[in-house]
Amino acid sequence: MAKRLFTSESVTEGHPDKLCDQISDAVLDAALNSDPKSRVACETYATTGLVVIGGEITSRTQIDYDTLARKTIEEIGYAGPDSGGFDAHTCGILVCVKGQSPDIAQGVSTAKEHRDEDSNDEIDKLGAGDQGLMFGFACDETPELMPLPISLAQRLALKLSQVRKSGILPYLRPDGKTQVTVEYDEKGVPKRIDTLVISTQHAAKINGKTDNLDLQKFIEADMKEFVIKPVVDSLGHLIDKDTKYFINPSGRFVIGGPQGDAGLTGRKIIVDTYGGYARHGGGAFSGKDPTKVDRSACYAARYIAKNIVGAELAKQCEVQVSYAIGVAKPISVSVSTFGTGKIKDAALGDIINQIFDLRPLAIIKKLNLQNLPKLNKGVFYRNIASYGHFGRPDLKLPWEELDKIKELQKAANGAFAAA
């Protein structure tokens, strides 16, 4: 393979799309915290001075959408006259929520296996909440078994918010984006960081300065010292004299968040996953309860792929699973190790089918997806709505556990012996 460059981006929690993701997942947390079997499909839209919450929600929980949305917006950092133009206290909140369609509900609550075959297996009872295809991926480029470009982009975005909220750089505002370009050698191994891009919202005046060029130079120095350096220090060997930096390359970023650009739930699906390094089935995560396989099956596929790479059965692994709405059993399960596997992909696929149960209720029970908000003081899904749903060494996520390594290695040894 020839030398190549690969780029991934991330955004901060104050990005308008991410603000919407967090509101939708705050609604999900509130519903599941009191009623773990809630059916939630919540979409949020934000623009200048307005937030619209819509979707289909069936739950025994009484949700105060207005208070929940304002609290989320305020905690992100949009509160008061100096927060970038959008204000949790003064924005309008419009709620347009109804119950889940009975046509969908009957197919999910009583799967085709129960309707047609009269199955007595409890796990067969819950059907997939939609049709679709989902992917999970892992590789050995980082300790958390994620691709290096997205791992660095997420860490930079998180650090950008941390230095703002801690007061280290008080002139920063909530909106921001990061981007990392990594150069890979002929063997596909990360060789160096080619380019780092950070665009961060900021106050109109910093230390008395208002000139755009002065502000840009000031911000660039702080970004290198307080954001980039702490993140890449452990990767110093990947930074060289030719690494390029673009800090607020537009020259000015005062108007941001929903005041500068409309936001919508589910518009950052590549940021949420692998930064474009692996394939994506197209379904978003935020605002969806675990019966929606767009979310739960992607978590399960990541869990499988990570354990395969953790077991050293491959250096890269991508797992695809597909479903039909109202059917419990997956339509297909596929695995690819891109030529890095120690056994053939077909044999590895057989092992996956033996070890992992990918029916929706089995995934929900294994990863405890309906109870995670209650187990985390009422807030779980909102915490992963920013900075990625995978990797995340800062959080303890059940689909990141490496608890199937020995079982996979034993099965692989058996397959190798049989071959």
Side-chain angles (χ1 to χ4, degrees):
M1 184 172 66
K3 180 176 68 176
R4 68 184 179 109
L5 299 175
F6 193 87
T7 302
S8 293
E9 73 159 351
S10 182
V11 298
T12 65
E13 61 205 63
H15 185 281
D17 293 332
K18 275 292 145 209
L19 178 144
C20 292
D21 284 345
Q22 288 167 92
I23 293 173
S24 293
D25 272 334
V27 170
L28 175 65
D29 280 334
L32 293 178
N33 187 48
S34 297
D35 180 7
K37 293 188 177 180
S38 296
R39 299 282 172 80
V40 179
C42 181
E43 308 284 347
T44 303
Y45 168 74
T47 188
T48 304
L50 178 66
V51 171
V52 180
I53 301 172
E56 299 77 46
I57 299 177
T58 299
S59 176
R60 294 194 302 268
T61 307
Q62 294 297 314
I63 300 172
D64 184 345
Y65 296 97
D66 186 285
T67 300
L68 196 62
R70 294 188 193 281
K71 182 175 184 289
T72 302
I73 296 164
E74 183 174 14
E75 289 177 353
I76 289 170
Y78 291 115
D82 193 33
S83 62
F86 195 77
D87 191 340
H89 305 138
T90 61
C91 67
I93 307 290
L94 180 62
V95 180
C96 306
V97 173
K98 62 186 180 192
Q100 185 181 53
S101 160
D103 292 347
I104 295 175
Q106 63 90 26
V108 177
S109 299
T110 308
K112 181 176 175 61
E113 287 86 342
H114 263 250
R115 284 180 277 127
D116 293 354
E117 302 168 17
D118 195 28
S119 170
N120 292 319
D121 187 343
E122 179 199 3
I123 304 299
D124 267 344
K125 187 173 183 180
L126 187 75
D130 201 354
Q131 71 175 52
L133 51 138
M134 298 84 203
F135 289 95
F137 181 79
C139 64
D140 64 358
E141 291 181 12
T142 62
E144 64 271 23
L145 304 184
M146 286 286 286
L148 183 61
I150 188 62
S151 178
L152 288 177
Q154 301 283 27
R155 287 161 60 189
L156 287 169
L158 179 58
K159 179 59 72 172
L160 194 56
S161 289
Q162 288 173 341
V163 298
R164 170 178 62 89
K165 289 185 168 183
S166 67
I168 294 174
L169 301 179
Y171 62 82
L172 295 183
R173 298 296 178 259
D175 199 356
K177 302 180 81 171
T178 63
Q179 189 170 288
V180 179
T181 301
V182 173
E183 180 181 321
Y184 290 80
D185 65 18
E186 292 79 1
K187 296 181 179 179
V189 177
K191 180 181 178 183
R192 55 183 293 275
I193 296 173
D194 182 81
T195 308
L196 292 163
V197 182
I198 295 180
S199 293
T200 180
Q201 186 187 11
H202 58 86
K205 182 185 291 187
I206 304 174
N207 290 353
K209 296 180 173 63
T210 57
D211 179 77
N212 287 349
L213 185 58
D214 288 342
L215 291 178
Q216 187 180 25
K217 289 180 179 178
F218 188 86
I219 294 169
E220 180 173 351
D222 277 352
M223 290 299 101
K224 288 181 177 179
E225 177 66 23
F226 296 105
V227 177
I228 295 173
K229 188 174 184 292
V231 170
V232 303
D233 254 359
S234 61
L235 300 168
H237 63 290
L238 296 178
I239 299 285
D240 59 30
K241 61 181 178 61
D242 295 322
T243 297
K244 298 180 284 293
Y245 299 86
F246 293 94
I247 312 296
N248 278 18
S250 69
R252 181 180 175 86
F253 190 177
V254 174
I255 300 172
Q259 193 76 9
D261 190 11
L264 186 66
T265 298
R267 228 169 27 184
K268 286 290 175 284
I269 58 176
I270 300 303
V271 170
D272 285 342
T273 53
Y274 308 101
Y277 200 98
R279 286 173 282 199
H280 197 296
F285 297 157
S286 289
K288 296 179 181 177
D289 76 85
T291 67
K292 278 74 171 174
V293 284
D294 277 344
R295 180 168 219 155
S296 53
C298 280
Y299 293 167
R302 161 66 178 172
Y303 172 61
I304 296 169
K306 185 175 182 182
N307 273 270
I308 287 170
V309 175
E312 298 184 351
L313 298 181
K315 295 175 71 64
Q316 291 187 24
C317 181
E318 183 181 76
V319 175
Q320 185 206 53
V321 58
S322 68
Y323 294 87
I325 187 169
V327 180
K329 294 181 177 63
I331 300 302
S332 67
V333 179
S334 175
V335 61
S336 176
T337 59
F338 308 98
T340 69
K342 292 187 175 179
I343 61 174
K344 292 182 178 179
D345 288 351
L348 197 52
D350 291 339
I351 291 171
I352 289 172
N353 286 321
Q354 293 167 17
I355 295 176
F356 299 95
D357 190 339
L358 287 167
R359 291 174 292 176
L361 188 55
I363 295 171
I364 289 169
K365 287 180 175 293
K366 170 60 184 174
L367 302 178
N368 209 13
L369 297 178
Q370 290 177 326
N371 296 307
L372 288 171
K374 185 177 291 186
L375 295 173
N376 288 274
K377 300 180 179 179
V379 180
F380 178 81
Y381 289 107
R382 187 198 144 184
N383 287 339
I384 58 172
S386 301
Y387 315 115
H389 292 243
F390 306 121
R392 300 305 300 272
D394 57 314
L395 298 174
K396 186 174 177 60
L397 304 178
W399 50 89
E400 294 295 313
E401 293 294 323
L402 291 170
D403 57 359
K404 292 290 185 179
I405 287 178
K406 290 184 179 179
E407 195 172 352
L408 282 165
Q409 289 174 334
K410 181 178 178 181
N413 288 336
F416 186 77

